[in-house]
Amino acid sequence: MKSISERDKEVIWHPYTQMQTSGMPVAIVKGEGAYIYDENNKKYIDAISSWWVNTLGHCNKYIASKISEQLMKLEHVIFAGFTHEPAVELAERLLKHLPLNHKKIFYSDNGSTAVEVALKMALQFWTNNGLKKQKIIAFRNAYHGDTFGAMSVSGRSVFTTPFSDLLFDVEFIDVPVKGQEEISFLQLQKAAKSDDVAAFIFEPLVQGAAGMVMYAPEILDEMLAICNEKNIITIADEVMTGFYRTGTFFATDRLKNKPDIICLSKGITGGFMAMGVTSCNEKIYNAFLSEDKTKTLYHGHSYTGNPLSCAAAIASLDLYEDKTCEENVLRISFRNDVFRKQIQHYQSVSEVRSTGTILAIELKTSEGTSYHSNIRTSIYDFFMAKGILMRPLGNILYILPPYCISDEDLDIIYSAITDFLESYNIK
């Protein structure tokens, strides 16, 4: 009898995977808390929350029960001209956490589409106001998703090369990392002088796929102030940073100047269901109100506002709003910071960064920082052998655990990282 992995090889095309050279996928049969179990009953600590979505751990019974309750009431209904209680309640509750001037929630079904909606809102805002502004400003090496608009505002890389001729032009500026703040700020000032700038999109405080690149909220605040002065729409991509990942409920909570549009996904449902959210302030929303139907935002998805996803998100909010969640975030953040100081002087380490529950270790390598660094496979295999799911970004080793992870499991991860650093030879 064939294993799940063997059957998979015959029929599945996996994401971000060169299928000719990839090995057998690991077949996972169940999850519980911070753990996942394969078909041979081997247990792994999910140190990266399965692509950053399982913020509250696997198979959380409370969220599962709320989805189950909703299943017996309403599984789905068209969302154009119709609505339902879970969608309304979720929007009401999200808006309580979002900036005070955010008044509307637009539902989609993942992070890329949340960004796609945001870009269309920003660009059509100007069209609806009789102006032609089409230029977008974004950070270099950004990652905003894999749909065409999201790819366009993402850094040009191996991810986007086959489609480069089809992407719209974007003004890229440097990320204001420590020591480069003034350069980045001056680049934004220069770009903002153009009359055709529609929007500035950014991942607040942490660029995830770029290698957990971190920068300070103070410089971002100054950059948003420039955009406000120049009447440039600001878009915060909080798909990864939202729901306590950087220590606060949203990363933009640490800003005085608030973005006009915010994109959410990943942790919004605690990892249970696919969902995207794009919120906006009244200025954006009001530009689409008209007797002229051509000013409508013509965007939608078959599963927009899915009741099951909404129920999962509401249940997740219940848990996020419980003091235990914030206590766990603070505990993980503190322990990460302590561990960061312990390993920052290792000869094999170029830099260690941490913010909130995110810890990133940049390894020295002759190849420099690269998503396709040869060390990536070695890191992955080393930790999988120790029962730890760690998916490095090239030579960037990082942990981004579910908030339910225990101190004992964190110690296992830290110990494994130390073992790796002590055995790692710079290549």
Side-chain angles (χ1 to χ4, degrees):
M1 185 177 178
K2 292 180 180 178
S3 67
I4 299 173
S5 297
E6 289 169 333
R7 289 162 53 203
D8 173 286
K9 271 291 190 181
E10 296 177 356
V11 295
I12 301 292
W13 188 347
H14 286 271
Y16 300 106
T17 302
Q18 175 45 257
M19 299 303 294
Q20 180 166 311
T21 57
S22 64
M24 281 286 186
V26 180
I28 299 302
V29 296
K30 70 173 182 177
E32 183 179 1
Y35 308 122
I36 50 177
Y37 297 79
D38 70 17
E39 59 187 325
N40 298 312
N41 206 36
K42 181 175 180 179
K43 180 173 73 172
Y44 302 86
I45 302 172
D46 189 349
I48 59 166
S49 302
S50 286
W51 261 345
W52 321 340
V53 302
N54 287 91
T55 44
L56 300 166
H58 293 274
C59 293
N60 182 283
K61 292 182 179 179
Y62 178 74
I63 302 174
S65 69
K66 293 300 182 180
I67 296 172
S68 179
E69 288 177 18
Q70 184 59 44
L71 270 169
M72 305 309 294
K73 297 177 184 177
L74 177 66
E75 82 299 340
H76 188 63
V77 67
I78 182 174
F79 209 60
F82 292 81
T83 191
H84 50 81
E85 173 63 25
V88 175
E89 181 183 344
L90 176 58
E92 290 171 340
R93 291 183 60 178
L94 281 173
L95 288 169
K96 290 179 181 178
H97 290 280
L98 289 160
L100 291 177
N101 64 338
H102 278 231
K103 300 298 182 183
K104 298 295 178 180
I105 296 293
F106 192 100
Y107 292 118
S108 59
D109 47 25
N110 61 64
S112 294
T113 57
V115 168
E116 208 79 12
V117 169
L119 293 171
K120 291 172 83 170
M121 282 180 177
L123 292 168
Q124 191 175 338
F125 170 88
W126 296 111
T127 301
N128 285 1
N129 280 290
L131 297 170
K132 187 177 181 180
K133 293 192 176 190
Q134 297 182 329
K135 183 179 287 185
I136 308 290
I137 301 172
F139 285 136
R140 290 189 216 286
N141 302 317
Y143 174 79
H144 294 290
D146 295 328
T147 50
F148 268 82
M151 280 196 296
S152 293
V153 294
S154 297
R156 301 299 184 257
S157 67
V158 67
F159 292 177
T160 62
T161 298
F163 319 105
S164 56
D165 292 342
L166 301 172
L167 305 180
F168 56 75
D169 289 334
V170 172
E171 182 85 16
F172 288 106
I173 63 174
D174 291 331
V175 183
V177 295
K178 190 174 183 180
Q180 300 295 313
E181 295 95 340
E182 186 175 356
I183 292 173
S184 180
F185 185 74
L186 290 174
Q187 289 174 344
L188 176 65
Q189 277 189 317
K190 182 179 179 181
K193 289 179 180 179
S194 173
D195 292 332
D196 63 344
V197 177
F200 169 46
I201 186 170
F202 55 92
E203 297 161 271
L205 311 189
V206 184
Q207 282 190 309
M212 300 299 165
V213 176
M214 301 176 186
Y215 62 100
E218 291 79 13
I219 181 63
L220 183 57
D221 236 341
E222 292 181 30
M223 298 176 96
L224 264 60
I226 285 289
C227 291
N228 291 341
E229 180 184 325
K230 298 294 184 179
N231 201 22
I232 294 170
I233 294 169
T234 51
I235 304 170
D237 178 353
E238 290 245 26
V239 169
M240 186 273 280
T241 57
F243 306 101
Y244 281 122
R245 275 300 176 201
T246 65
T248 50
F249 201 92
F250 294 125
T252 46
D253 288 349
R254 295 165 68 179
L255 304 178
K256 294 178 182 177
N257 294 292
K258 302 302 182 181
D260 298 299
I261 300 172
I262 295 178
C263 308
L264 305 173
S265 188
K266 290 196 183 290
I268 192 169
T269 66
F272 271 77
M273 305 286 293
M275 169 166 272
V277 159
T278 307
S279 70
C280 69
N281 59 26
E282 283 189 295
K283 177 184 78 173
I284 301 297
Y285 178 72
N286 288 343
F288 291 80
L289 300 180
S290 175
E291 295 296 323
D292 182 355
K293 291 186 177 179
T294 65
K295 292 188 176 183
T296 303
L297 179 61
Y298 285 110
H299 188 103
H301 299 262
S302 299
Y303 283 88
T304 291
N306 176 258
L308 302 178
S309 295
C310 291
I314 291 168
S316 296
L317 277 177
D318 289 342
L319 298 178
Y320 288 132
E321 292 169 355
D322 187 282
K323 66 177 183 179
T324 302
C325 180
E326 191 167 4
E327 289 169 356
N328 280 330
V329 168
L330 291 171
R331 172 179 59 86
I332 296 167
S333 301
F334 174 77
R335 300 213 64 212
N336 277 352
D337 198 50
V338 170
F339 183 64
R340 176 185 63 82
K341 294 173 183 176
Q342 293 173 354
I343 62 171
Q344 63 185 352
H345 300 301
Y346 271 74
Q347 187 176 1
S348 54
V349 173
S350 175
E351 184 183 12
V352 191
R353 305 181 281 272
S354 69
T355 186
T357 63
I358 308 167
L359 173 71
I361 303 157
E362 187 168 336
L363 298 172
K364 291 178 182 176
T365 170
S366 60
E367 299 174 300
T369 300
S370 169
Y371 184 85
H372 288 288
S373 172
N374 291 327
I375 191 61
R376 182 231 174 258
T377 302
S378 299
I379 299 171
Y380 178 80
D381 292 344
F382 179 91
F383 286 94
M384 285 294 284
K386 288 182 174 287
I388 301 170
L389 171 55
M390 191 94 69
R391 187 178 170 88
L393 297 160
N395 64 317
I396 309 295
L397 170 64
Y398 73 92
I399 64 172
L400 202 149
Y403 306 148
C404 63
I405 194 169
S406 67
D407 284 342
E408 290 75 19
D409 284 334
L410 282 173
D411 286 337
I412 290 171
I413 295 171
Y414 296 151
S415 178
I417 292 173
T418 302
D419 289 345
F420 180 84
L421 295 178
E422 290 177 348
S423 64
Y424 173 64
N425 294 313
I426 302 169
K427 298 177 182 178

